[in-house]
Amino acid sequence: MALLSALTVVPAHASGDLGNSTAPGGHKPTVVLVHGAFADGSSWNAVVQRLQHDGYQVIAPPNTLRGVRQDSTYLNSLLKTIKGPIVLVGHSYGGEVISQAAAGVHNVEALVYINAIMPDKGESSASLSGKFPPAPITKAFKKVPFRNGDGTTGTDLYIQPAKLHATFAQDLSQRQASVMASTQRTIAQSAFTDKLTEAAWRNKPVYVLVGRQDRTIDPSLERYEAKRAHARKTVEINSSHVSLISHPQAVTDLIVTAAHDSGHQ
C-alpha cells in the first residue's frame, strides 16, 4: 500500500511512555494499527483521521516485514511502553504479528483483524493458507535476493506491478494501484514459513473484518479464522484486500466497537 502521506504517530510523554497516562475506567484506549506486507503505516491514514476525530490516540508503527519473531518482538516492546488500555489492530500479515506480540501484554484488551492472517501457535502463514485454495496473488509475486549487513542473505517478495491492481487492490483506481506498486515495501519470503510461538487471540477478545472480494487472503480462510477464534463480532464487506483504504469507515466502526465492548467510550 502506497506511502500516501506522513506516518501518523503519537509523541512520547516526558516519562517515555506512550498512549493514555490515565488509568482505565471509561477513558478511550490507545489504538495501535499494524500494517501488513507490501505496505507502510500510511495505509491507515483514512482510518487514523476518523479515529482521531473521535478522540482516540493512535499509533501506526512501522512493521519491518522481516519475519514474525523480529517484527513481533519489536511491537511487543512498543506495546509495553503504552499506559492504559490498548486496542491492537492488524491488517494482513500484521495479524500474525499482533497475535504473537500481544501475548502477556495485559492492557491489550482487544485484537482486531482486518483482512488478516491469524495462525495458531505452531502454525505458519503458509501452513494455514494451505488449508484453502491458493489466492490469486500467489501467481503475482516477484522474488528478489537481498543481503544484510552481517553477510546473511535472503529473498524478498514484491508484487509484480502489472498484477497488483487485479490481485491486491481491485476496488481502488488503476492510478492508485500504480502508485502502490512503485512504493510497495517488500516482505522477506521466510516470514511466510515462520511459526508462531504465541497466539494471543486464544485468550483475548477478537473482532474480524472479512473482505468478500479479497484476492490476497481467501475470504473462506478469514471466516475460518474468525470462527476458530470465537470472534465476538465478524463483519463482512464487499472489499478487496485493502479495505482499510477502500472502506475506512467500516474498518473504523469495527475498531470503535472493540473499544466500546472493552468498556471504554
Side-chain angles (χ1 to χ4, degrees):
M1 282 157 277
L3 181 59
L4 302 176
S5 67
L7 178 66
T8 303
V9 297
V10 178
H13 294 289
S15 64
D17 292 308
L18 295 169
N20 293 311
S21 58
T22 53
H27 298 285
K28 292 182 185 295
T30 298
V31 179
V32 179
L33 305 169
V34 181
H35 66 80
F38 317 111
D40 62 24
S42 69
S43 59
W44 292 107
N45 279 357
V47 175
V48 171
Q49 291 168 359
R50 286 165 170 77
L51 289 170
Q52 288 180 337
H53 182 266
D54 288 343
Y56 289 90
Q57 290 186 303
V58 186
I59 306 171
N63 185 1
T64 63
L65 308 178
R66 296 297 86 192
V68 173
R69 180 179 179 183
Q70 178 172 325
D71 299 337
S72 63
T73 299
Y74 170 80
L75 179 60
N76 177 270
S77 68
L78 175 67
L79 294 174
K80 289 178 177 178
T81 71
I82 299 174
K83 291 184 176 181
I86 299 170
V87 172
L88 183 57
V89 188
H91 173 247
S92 191
Y93 165 74
E96 293 187 71
V97 176
I98 70 170
S99 294
Q100 185 147 311
V105 184
H106 301 298
N107 55 325
V108 173
E109 298 190 354
L111 298 170
V112 184
Y113 293 88
I114 307 298
N115 298 79
I117 189 82
M118 44 189 298
D120 201 352
K121 183 178 179 179
E123 280 185 331
S124 67
S125 173
S127 64
L128 177 56
S129 298
K131 300 177 185 291
F132 296 83
I137 199 172
T138 58
K139 296 182 179 180
F141 291 137
K142 177 182 179 181
K143 298 179 181 180
V144 177
F146 67 84
R147 182 181 298 275
N148 294 311
D150 61 2
T152 57
T153 61
T155 301
D156 270 337
L157 292 183
Y158 289 80
I159 304 174
Q160 297 174 40
K163 296 182 178 180
L164 186 144
H165 187 237
T167 62
F168 192 69
Q170 73 272 17
D171 55 354
L172 301 183
S173 70
Q174 183 64 62
R175 182 177 181 181
Q176 285 176 290
S178 179
V179 173
M180 292 166 68
S182 294
T183 60
Q184 64 179 292
R185 289 190 55 221
T186 58
I187 185 169
Q189 185 177 10
S190 59
F192 292 102
T193 55
D194 288 343
K195 294 181 179 180
L196 267 66
T197 58
E198 302 286 349
W201 54 262
R202 285 256 170 214
N203 50 39
K204 292 183 182 292
V206 168
Y207 299 77
V208 175
L209 184 141
V210 176
R212 295 193 188 101
Q213 282 80 48
D214 197 329
R215 298 175 184 173
T216 298
I217 299 175
D218 190 315
S220 295
L221 171 54
E222 295 172 12
R223 296 182 187 106
Y224 167 80
E225 293 170 334
K227 183 176 180 180
R228 181 171 70 167
H230 303 290
R232 292 193 177 184
K233 185 171 185 177
T234 301
V235 174
E236 294 198 15
I237 63 173
N238 293 321
S239 170
S240 73
H241 187 62
V242 294
S243 59
L244 66 174
I245 298 175
S246 59
H247 294 81
Q249 190 61 55
V251 172
T252 303
D253 289 345
L254 185 60
I255 295 169
V256 170
T257 295
H260 286 182
D261 286 355
S262 65
H264 304 286
Q265 301 302 314

